Amino acid sequence: MGLTGGCMCGNVRFELKSEPSDCGWCHCRTCQLNSGAPAMAFASVRNGDWVATGGDDSIQTVKTSSFGHRAFCAQCGTPLYVRVDHQPATVDFSIVTLDDPGAIEPEFHIFWGSKVPWFNPGDDLPKHQRFRPDTPGLEGTEPPDDSSLVGGARA
Ligand SMILES: [Zn+2]
Ligand SMILES: [Zn+2]
């Protein structure tokens, strides 16, 4: 059995069918506004490996940028996961929605360029101003630019 988690109200429950990878902090403006916090921490699993085991009909999705779609619990508002158009093979879920929020640890920071000035994580992890150079789906291309979002949002 894989890692399990759920939303604040307990309506939405999920299980991961594979080991998560690419765990990192995102400091983009969309994450800040979506979470109400300075940053969000995500990890990736293959598309289809984040499986709702309860409350599936309460999961709603909002388009948050030209390429990003975010799912949340319609009952309590907890952000659950993000899908981005340039990474159709994976889904990025919020690691603190795991029942054990410490089960996996961030390995890098992205969108450091829009970090809130008073938020100072005390780690030595790699810090990228926007996307990581090796972001899956962006090899050999310029990252998608969504200038309609303040601060160069991620998704
Ligand atoms: Zn909920
Ligand atoms: Zn973000």
Side-chain angles (χ1 to χ4, degrees):
M1 183 164 151
L3 293 168
T4 57
C7 65
M8 182 177 68
C9 76
N11 189 39
V12 174
R13 297 289 304 161
F14 68 87
E15 180 178 347
L16 303 180
K17 296 297 186 183
S18 60
E19 284 293 307
S21 62
D22 287 338
C23 185
W25 285 97
C26 183
H27 300 264
C28 82
R29 282 294 288 153
T30 307
C31 282
Q32 292 167 359
L33 292 166
N34 185 239
S35 66
M40 295 182 77
F42 291 103
S44 301
V45 288
R46 288 191 302 272
N47 197 7
D49 285 353
W50 188 105
V51 177
T53 54
D56 196 23
D57 54 355
S58 294
I59 300 174
Q60 291 191 9
T61 303
V62 59
K63 185 172 167 62
T64 50
S65 71
S66 62
F67 53 90
H69 313 266
R70 292 183 183 237
F72 60 97
C73 173
Q75 305 289 321
C76 70
T78 298
L80 297 167
Y81 61 79
V82 186
R83 293 181 197 279
V84 292
D85 292 339
H86 51 275
Q87 294 168 350
T90 56
V91 53
D92 299 336
F93 67 96
S94 168
I95 62 171
V96 293
T97 60
L98 292 170
D99 291 328
D100 176 4
I104 45 179
E105 293 187 18
E107 299 156 2
F108 55 85
H109 294 268
I110 62 170
F111 283 88
W112 192 256
S114 50
K115 183 182 74 66
V116 180
W118 46 255
F119 181 49
N120 294 302
D123 61 54
D124 296 322
L125 301 175
K127 297 169 175 67
H128 305 286
Q129 289 302 301
R130 296 188 78 242
F131 292 99
R132 283 187 301 161
D134 54 349
T135 298
L138 297 179
E139 296 92 345
T141 68
E142 286 298 308
D145 180 33
D146 197 334
S147 54
S148 66
L149 291 167
V150 177
R154 179 198 190 196

